[in-house]
Amino acid sequence: MAPAAPSSPVLFLHGAVALSGRFPLLAGVDLEVASGETVLIDGPNGAGKTSLLRVCAGLVPLASGRVAVFGLDPVRRRTQVRRRTGLVAHAAHLYDDLTVRENVRFAVRAAGADTGRIDGACDRLGLSGRLLKTSASKLSAGQRRRVALAVLAARWPELWLLDEPHAGLDASARQALDQLIVEAAAGGATVVIASHETSSVEPLASRAITLTGGRVTAERAIGPAPEHGDPTRPEVAHVA
């Protein structure tokens, strides 16, 4: 029997530089994340954690270097990448005039995902009863974060990008989120979590990457690594 073909990394960055004006958001990041990995991205405020996730989501282009998500340029192939990727950012971008359920349904349908998971996802995040019919304009910050997480759980994408996901959540919502992350990874999804709450995330992750000044400055194993083949270089975006 012929050996299995090596798998490409889900995320691939080489010499990735991203700018805001002349300020470097990323200053030459090299990173590979394999399918099925759960990786913690830590580092001080302003280290580039959020920018890294936004680059991977196709929201921030590179000034130089290379990036590929599922072997695709996340800016030029934004639609294809976004349908396979879920980003939970600092702010939950909801439509204030829509109810909780309407917001979740709209986001799931916009991503081309199955709406059959909506009710179960909302229930797991404590979004039930009258709260489902409440307009987003009346929600607290923690409730808005739970709606964003419900969208992710309802979509169940192949790549989860989570930016400080525990922020603003109570104990029950944190526990629900942790269980979702465990289930996603067990099902083969790739999860990247940017967080300064390392003690909360380390039990969920197999590897930790430290960013400082927009560069990877440390890497450590913190759990069992998933089984996967040796990655080969994918077709990547290259900016001169």
Side-chain angles (χ1 to χ4, degrees), residues 105-121:
R105 181 176 177 83
F106 179 85
V108 171
R109 293 187 66 181
D114 183 2
T115 58
R117 301 177 63 103
I118 290 175
D119 291 338

Side-chain angles (χ1 to χ4, degrees), residues 145-238:
R145 173 56 61 96
R146 283 192 278 151
V147 175
L149 291 169
V151 171
L152 186 73
R155 289 185 54 208
W156 211 258
E158 298 171 62
L159 173 61
W160 296 35
L161 301 174
L162 307 179
D163 195 358
E164 302 290 354
H166 294 95
L169 298 180
D170 60 21
S172 62
R174 283 175 171 242
Q175 185 176 15
L177 169 60
D178 290 353
Q179 186 59 40
L180 287 169
I181 292 172
V182 169
E183 291 176 16
T190 302
V191 184
V192 180
I193 307 170
S195 178
H196 68 277
E197 296 186 50
T198 56
S199 61
S200 298
V201 178
E202 283 185 352
L204 307 171
S206 60
R207 185 161 56 113
I209 304 294
T210 299
L211 288 184
T212 307
R215 294 179 180 270
V216 175
T217 55
E219 178 177 349
R220 66 189 189 278
I222 53 178
E227 295 181 1
H228 55 83
D230 294 331
T232 57
R233 176 172 293 185
E235 184 179 345
V236 296
H238 186 189

Side-chain angles (χ1 to χ4, degrees), residues 25-137:
L25 302 172
L26 300 180
V29 169
D30 295 323
L31 177 64
E32 293 187 19
V33 179
S35 176
E37 271 198 287
T38 299
V39 176
L40 163 65
I41 308 294
D42 63 18
N45 289 337
K49 301 187 298 295
T50 294
S51 296
L52 175 62
L53 296 189
R54 288 173 60 81
V55 165
C56 293
L59 299 176
V60 175
L62 292 186
S64 63
R66 293 174 287 179
V67 58
V69 182
F70 302 112
L72 304 172
D73 178 340
V75 173
R76 294 181 181 179
R77 306 290 294 277
R78 183 173 300 174
T79 299
Q80 294 94 319
V81 169
R82 286 189 177 181
R83 286 181 179 272
R84 302 171 69 180
T85 301
L87 170 66
V88 174
H90 283 285
H93 298 288
L94 307 179
Y95 291 96
D96 284 345
D97 56 334
L98 298 183
T99 67
V100 166
R101 195 178 191 284
E102 288 169 344
N103 265 287
V104 177
R105 181 176 177 83
F106 179 85
V108 171
R109 293 187 66 181
D114 183 2
T115 58
R117 301 177 63 103
I118 290 175
D119 291 338
C122 289
D123 188 62
R124 292 189 68 170
L125 271 301
L127 302 170
S128 58
R130 295 180 61 183
L131 188 55
L132 278 176
K133 300 178 181 180
T134 301
S135 65
S137 62

